[in-house]
Amino acid sequence: MKKIILMLIVIIIVESIVLMYISNQQADSNICGTYILGEEENIEAVYYTFEKNGNFSVYSQGDKKVSGGYKCENVGEGGAAVKTEEPLEDCIFYIVDGGLVCIIDGELAFLKKISNYPMYINVVE
């Protein structure tokens, strides 16, 4: 009887770990792509890119990009928070329908998703 109970506990723990891994993978794949701050794609727009390998960049057309890393964390009910790392520390993005929500310069901002793939438009290397 003790072996059966122990086996059930092990199965439940393994299942929980697998479900957490799958949900983290889904959050990572949902964030990947290119986002724009504002409504229009133009030379003055600020673009945000998230790559599958954990790289994150911010740039405007004609300027150098600022790059760093990011990690996705589940926040319950299918939501995910994306925390950026150096050099863009303390940026937290929340995945919502059609884009991301975050606080930029003390104000709530919406970043519209314009591509499911990272794009670097007219970036100076």
Side-chain angles (χ1 to χ4, degrees), residues 28 31-33 35 47-51 53-59 66-73 80-95 100-104 111:
D28 286 346
I31 188 74
C32 292
Y35 300 81
Y47 296 85
Y48 292 75
T49 60
F50 294 87
E51 298 178 12
N53 63 3
N55 288 334
F56 165 77
S57 298
V58 178
Y59 70 93
V66 177
S67 297
Y70 74 90
K71 291 183 181 178
C72 285
E73 296 181 6
V82 180
K83 293 185 178 181
T84 57
E85 300 167 343
E86 289 187 35
L88 304 169
E89 291 187 43
D90 299 329
C91 293
I92 300 175
F93 299 88
Y94 294 94
I95 299 172
L100 302 172
V101 174
C102 60
I103 296 178
I104 299 175
L111 280 66

Side-chain angles (χ1 to χ4, degrees), residues 106-124:
E107 293 188 23
L108 190 62
F110 176 74
L111 280 66
K112 181 174 75 171
K113 191 168 195 175
I114 60 172
S115 174
N116 289 325
Y117 303 97
M119 298 186 319
Y120 298 97
I121 305 166
N122 196 21
V123 175
V124 177

Side-chain angles (χ1 to χ4, degrees), residues 33-52:
T34 302
Y35 300 81
I36 188 170
L37 178 60
E39 294 296 320
E40 296 182 30
E41 296 178 48
N42 59 39
I43 196 116
E44 296 174 358
V46 179
Y47 296 85
Y48 292 75
T49 60
F50 294 87
E51 298 178 12
K52 285 185 180 181

